[in-house]
Coordinates of all heavy atoms in Angstrom, one line a residue:
A1 N 0.8 -1.2 0.0 CA 0.0 0.0 0.0 C 0.9 1.2 0.0 O 2.0 1.3 0.7 CB -1.0 0.0 1.2
R2 N 0.4 2.3 -0.8 CA 1.2 3.5 -0.9 C 2.4 3.5 -1.8 O 3.0 4.5 -2.1 CB 1.5 4.2 0.4 CG 0.3 4.3 1.4 CD 0.5 5.3 2.5 NE 0.7 6.7 2.0 CZ -0.1 7.6 1.6 NH1 -1.4 7.1 1.7 NH2 0.1 8.8 1.1
Q3 N 2.7 2.3 -2.3 CA 3.8 2.3 -3.3 C 3.4 2.9 -4.6 O 2.1 2.8 -5.0 CB 4.2 0.8 -3.5 CG 5.2 0.5 -4.5 CD 5.6 -1.1 -4.6 OE1 5.3 -1.8 -3.7 NE2 6.1 -1.4 -5.8
K4 N 4.3 3.6 -5.3 CA 4.0 4.2 -6.5 C 4.4 3.2 -7.7 O 5.6 2.8 -7.7 CB 4.8 5.5 -6.6 CG 4.1 6.6 -5.8 CD 2.8 7.1 -6.2 CE 3.0 7.9 -7.5 NZ 3.7 9.1 -7.4
L5 N 3.6 3.1 -8.7 CA 4.0 2.5 -10.0 C 3.7 3.5 -11.1 O 2.5 3.7 -11.5 CB 3.2 1.2 -10.2 CG 3.6 -0.1 -9.4 CD1 2.7 -1.2 -9.7 CD2 5.2 -0.4 -9.7
G6 N 4.7 4.2 -11.5 CA 4.5 5.3 -12.5 C 3.5 6.2 -11.9 O 3.7 6.7 -10.8
K7 N 2.4 6.5 -12.6 CA 1.4 7.5 -12.0 C 0.4 6.9 -11.1 O -0.4 7.7 -10.5 CB 0.7 8.2 -13.3 CG -0.2 7.2 -14.0 CD -1.0 8.0 -15.1 CE -2.0 7.0 -15.9 NZ -2.8 7.8 -16.7
Y8 N 0.6 5.6 -10.9 CA -0.4 5.0 -10.1 C 0.1 4.9 -8.5 O 1.3 4.5 -8.3 CB -0.8 3.6 -10.5 CG -1.4 3.6 -11.9 CD1 -0.6 3.1 -12.9 CD2 -2.5 4.3 -12.1 CE1 -1.1 3.2 -14.3 CE2 -3.1 4.2 -13.4 CZ -2.4 3.6 -14.5 OH -2.8 3.7 -15.8
R9 N -0.7 5.1 -7.5 CA -0.4 5.0 -6.2 C -1.3 3.8 -5.6 O -2.5 3.8 -5.6 CB -0.7 6.2 -5.3 CG -0.3 6.0 -3.9 CD -0.4 7.4 -3.1 NE -1.8 7.8 -3.0 CZ -2.3 8.9 -3.4 NH1 -1.6 9.6 -4.1 NH2 -3.6 9.2 -3.3
I10 N -0.7 2.7 -5.2 CA -1.3 1.5 -4.8 C -2.1 1.9 -3.5 O -1.5 2.4 -2.6 CB -0.3 0.2 -4.6 CG1 0.3 0.0 -5.9 CG2 -1.1 -0.9 -4.2 CD1 -0.5 -0.4 -7.0
E11 N -3.4 1.4 -3.4 CA -4.0 1.6 -2.1 C -4.3 0.3 -1.3 O -4.1 0.2 -0.1 CB -5.4 2.4 -2.4 CG -5.2 3.8 -2.9 CD -6.4 4.5 -3.1 OE1 -7.6 3.8 -3.1 OE2 -6.4 5.7 -3.2
K12 N -4.8 -0.7 -2.1 CA -4.9 -2.1 -1.4 C -5.1 -3.1 -2.5 O -5.4 -3.0 -3.5 CB -6.1 -2.0 -0.4 CG -7.4 -1.8 -1.1 CD -8.6 -2.0 -0.1 CE -10.1 -1.9 -0.8 NZ -11.1 -2.0 0.2
R13 N -5.0 -4.3 -2.0 CA -5.1 -5.6 -2.9 C -6.7 -5.9 -2.9 O -7.2 -5.9 -1.8 CB -4.3 -6.8 -2.3 CG -4.4 -7.9 -3.2 CD -3.5 -9.0 -2.7 NE -3.9 -9.5 -1.4 CZ -3.2 -10.4 -0.7 NH1 -2.1 -10.8 -1.1 NH2 -3.6 -10.8 0.5
L14 N -7.3 -6.2 -4.0 CA -8.6 -6.4 -4.1 C -8.9 -7.9 -4.3 O -9.7 -8.4 -3.6 CB -9.3 -5.8 -5.3 CG -9.1 -4.3 -5.3 CD1 -9.8 -3.7 -6.5 CD2 -10.1 -3.7 -4.1
S15 N -8.0 -8.6 -5.0 CA -8.2 -10.1 -5.3 C -7.0 -10.7 -5.8 O -6.1 -10.0 -6.2 CB -9.4 -10.3 -6.2 OG -9.0 -9.8 -7.6
E16 N -6.9 -12.0 -5.6 CA -5.7 -12.7 -6.2 C -6.1 -13.9 -6.9 O -6.9 -14.9 -6.4 CB -4.7 -13.0 -5.0 CG -3.5 -13.5 -5.4 CD -2.4 -13.5 -4.3 OE1 -2.7 -12.9 -3.2 OE2 -1.3 -14.0 -4.6
G17 N -5.6 -14.1 -8.1 CA -5.9 -15.3 -8.9 C -4.7 -16.1 -9.1 O -3.6 -15.9 -8.6
G18 N -4.8 -17.1 -10.0 CA -3.7 -18.0 -10.3 C -2.4 -17.4 -10.8 O -1.3 -17.8 -10.6
F19 N -2.7 -16.4 -11.7 CA -1.6 -15.8 -12.3 C -1.3 -14.3 -12.1 O -0.3 -13.7 -12.3 CB -1.8 -15.8 -13.9 CG -1.8 -17.3 -14.5 CD1 -3.0 -17.8 -14.8 CD2 -0.6 -18.0 -14.5 CE1 -3.1 -19.2 -15.2 CE2 -0.8 -19.3 -15.0 CZ -2.0 -19.9 -15.4
A20 N -2.3 -13.7 -11.5 CA -2.2 -12.3 -11.2 C -2.9 -11.8 -10.0 O -3.8 -12.5 -9.5 CB -2.9 -11.5 -12.5
T21 N -2.6 -10.6 -9.6 CA -3.2 -9.9 -8.5 C -3.9 -8.6 -8.9 O -3.3 -7.8 -9.7 CB -2.2 -9.6 -7.4 OG1 -1.6 -10.9 -6.9 CG2 -2.8 -9.0 -6.1
V22 N -5.0 -8.3 -8.4 CA -5.7 -7.1 -8.7 C -5.7 -6.2 -7.6 O -6.0 -6.5 -6.5 CB -7.1 -7.3 -9.2 CG1 -7.9 -6.0 -9.5 CG2 -7.2 -8.4 -10.3
Y23 N -5.3 -4.9 -7.8 CA -5.1 -3.8 -6.8 C -6.1 -2.6 -7.1 O -6.3 -2.3 -8.2 CB -3.8 -3.3 -6.7 CG -2.6 -4.3 -6.4 CD1 -2.1 -5.1 -7.4 CD2 -2.3 -4.5 -5.1 CE1 -1.1 -6.0 -7.0 CE2 -1.3 -5.5 -4.8 CZ -0.8 -6.4 -5.7 OH 0.3 -7.2 -5.4
R24 N -6.5 -2.0 -6.0 CA -7.1 -0.7 -6.1 C -6.0 0.3 -6.1 O -5.1 0.3 -5.2 CB -8.1 -0.4 -4.9 CG -8.6 0.9 -4.9 CD -9.5 1.1 -3.6 NE -9.7 2.5 -3.2 CZ -11.0 3.0 -3.4 NH1 -12.0 2.2 -3.7 NH2 -11.2 4.3 -3.2
A25 N -6.0 1.3 -7.0 CA -5.0 2.3 -7.1 C -5.6 3.6 -7.5 O -6.7 3.6 -7.9 CB -3.9 1.8 -8.1
F26 N -4.8 4.7 -7.4 CA -5.3 6.1 -7.6 C -4.4 6.5 -8.8 O -3.1 6.4 -8.6 CB -5.1 6.9 -6.4 CG -5.6 8.3 -6.6 CD1 -6.9 8.6 -6.8 CD2 -4.7 9.4 -6.7 CE1 -7.4 9.8 -7.0 CE2 -5.2 10.7 -6.9 CZ -6.6 10.9 -7.1

């Protein structure tokens, strides 16, 4: 949480699947 990826600021993890994770970001 709060990590920056380019213009996106991670807020929280929403879900996790077999190959990927989905995050809420700003």
Side-chain angles (χ1 to χ4, degrees):
R2 304 197 65 79
Q3 180 175 339
K4 289 287 292 292
L5 284 179
K7 66 175 182 172
Y8 303 113
R9 184 175 66 245
I10 303 297
E11 294 188 343
K12 67 176 182 177
R13 184 174 63 184
L14 294 176
S15 64
E16 192 165 349
F19 299 103
T21 303
V22 179
Y23 297 89
R24 173 189 167 108
F26 183 72

